[in-house]
Amino acid sequence: MASLELYTNVWIPEPDAVWVSALLLQDYSPGEKHLQLQLSDGQEVQYPVGSISDLPPLGNPAILEGENDLTALSFLHEPAVLHNLRVRFLDYSSIYTYCGIVLVAINPYDQLSIYGEEVIDAYSGQDMGDMEPHIFSVAEEAYRTMTRSEKNQSIIISGESGSGKTVSAKFTMRYFAVVGGASQQTSVEERVLASNPIMESIGNAKTTRNDNSSRFGKYIEIGFARKGDIIAANMRTYLLEKSRVVFQHLFMQVLNLRIQRTHLYAFFEPSASSHVIVFILNRSLRLTFLLLGFLAACLPLGAGGVCP
């Protein structure tokens, strides 16, 4: 970028907003030390330019604001990406945006009614480019490619703590369970979906950003029959953050037994009763264990504790 023309929009750093848009009021030529800019509130500022490499990033045309695919932007850089995601989230109420074959998701920290079976039916059989960005579109692309080519497919879900990785994995598995063809989930599909609360109980902990943050990575392998229905599943965990176990982990709560008027449940497999897993559980989590085929024994803890 060797020159800037009058009325060009640029992005400049700002301590609070990170990036703010500004309008170029005077043509820039190589060698000049300042840019004459006007901020959105009408304030005029001089932006220092030591060399051509110090020129601020160019803004995209207004017609491209809110694009559902970041690769369609004329200029793809940090402020352009952040601004486009902000516009889609605030103005279009959309948490999803494509970046080529990558789906960018914003955690709304709220329950959204965009994951029902009617939405799954709408995305089933559709190409990614024909529908608005959605986690179901990514799941459909992998599912359809697998059934057509009969080759294994992978979906990588990554992000920082609290970004919604675990929830996205749940919605992906829900999509696979529904598009298998049966109106009622099979036993295997039920177990795949029911395994999440158990994994969260074993490996989740409280962080400064998230009260229920996964402290481990999950590799979930789902097996499909030729007709496309789920027939098997396997989940493996790795990279447990041991540094947080001592004060954030559920196991330490079990050892400390600080919870009063509750119950201690021991769950074990019928075929291997010597292998016992001990939890302090609420009712929904107990039902999950029972659904997975475990047996339960209860010991009341605390004053007045009675097993239901």
Side-chain angles (χ1 to χ4, degrees):
M1 184 168 56
S3 65
L4 289 175
E5 297 180 355
L6 189 61
Y7 304 130
T8 297
N9 280 304
V10 296
W11 291 97
I12 60 174
E14 204 275 332
D16 296 326
V18 184
W19 296 95
V20 294
S21 179
L23 184 66
L24 184 66
L25 298 178
Q26 182 178 342
D27 289 345
Y28 169 80
S29 298
E32 294 182 358
K33 299 301 182 181
H34 293 88
L35 290 178
Q36 191 69 25
L37 303 177
Q38 184 182 59
L39 302 180
S40 57
D41 60 2
Q43 178 185 0
E44 295 186 10
V45 297
Q46 284 192 335
Y47 183 80
V49 179
S51 63
I52 292 179
S53 62
D54 295 328
L55 290 174
L58 290 173
N60 285 291
I63 195 174
L64 295 179
E65 283 198 349
E67 277 286 334
N68 65 7
D69 192 335
L70 296 174
T71 60
L73 299 178
S74 299
F75 304 105
L76 190 58
H77 42 61
E78 180 183 320
V81 170
L82 294 177
H83 177 67
N84 198 73
L85 295 177
R86 183 177 186 272
V87 169
R88 287 186 56 77
F89 184 74
L90 297 179
D91 298 347
Y92 293 84
S93 300
S94 177
I95 65 172
Y96 293 117
T97 304
Y98 288 132
C99 185
I101 62 173
V102 177
L103 181 70
V104 182
I106 297 176
N107 191 339
Y109 292 97
D110 196 5
Q111 297 291 335
L112 302 180
S113 57
I114 59 173
Y115 302 104
E117 288 198 19
E118 68 282 358
V119 181
I120 293 178
D121 292 338
Y123 278 85
S124 179
Q126 302 297 320
D127 293 328
M128 288 183 64
D130 296 337
M131 304 291 290
E132 274 294 300
H134 199 289
I135 186 66
F136 289 162
S137 186
V138 175
E140 168 62 23
E141 186 71 15
Y143 182 81
R144 185 167 47 169
T145 303
M146 176 197 67
T147 54
R148 287 182 177 179
S149 64
E150 296 187 353
K151 293 182 179 179
N152 296 335
Q153 303 294 309
S154 297
I155 299 176
I156 300 175
I157 303 176
S158 64
E160 63 180 359
S161 177
S163 61
K165 301 182 295 297
T166 300
V167 175
S168 294
K170 290 181 184 178
F171 288 137
T172 302
M173 288 191 292
R174 178 184 299 175
Y175 185 88
F176 292 146
V178 173
V179 299
S183 58
Q184 299 294 327
Q185 295 175 358
T186 67
S187 175
V188 173
E189 291 163 349
E190 286 181 348
R191 294 187 179 196
V192 171
L193 296 177
S195 65
N196 285 286
I198 295 179
M199 299 307 302
E200 292 172 1
S201 298
I202 295 173
N204 284 19
K206 182 177 181 180
T207 67
T208 57
R209 295 188 180 186
N210 185 5
D211 287 343
N212 192 37
S213 180
S214 300
R215 296 296 92 212
F216 56 89
K218 292 194 288 284
Y219 177 79
I220 304 172
E221 187 177 70
I222 303 176
F224 295 85
R226 289 188 178 274
K227 294 182 178 180
D229 52 321
I230 297 177
I231 58 174
N234 179 40
M235 182 182 297
R236 282 177 267 173
T237 62
Y238 55 93
L239 298 178
L240 177 64
E241 295 186 11
K242 297 181 180 179
S243 62
R244 292 181 174 177
V245 167
V246 295
F247 63 96
Q248 292 177 329
H249 205 275
L250 177 62
F251 282 155
M252 292 306 297
Q253 296 181 30
V254 173
L255 293 178
N256 291 332
L257 298 180
R258 293 177 178 175
I259 303 177
Q260 299 298 317
R261 289 185 176 274
T262 186
H263 314 98
L264 181 64
Y265 279 83
F267 283 85
F268 52 90
E269 295 184 61
S271 60
S273 57
S274 59
H275 299 159
V276 179
I277 309 174
V278 180
F279 291 91
I280 289 180
L281 299 168
N282 57 29
R283 182 175 182 274
S284 61
L285 203 53
R286 294 202 304 272
L287 294 178
T288 299
F289 265 92
L290 295 175
L291 177 63
L292 293 176
F294 286 83
L295 300 180
C298 173
L299 295 174
L301 296 178
V306 178
C307 291

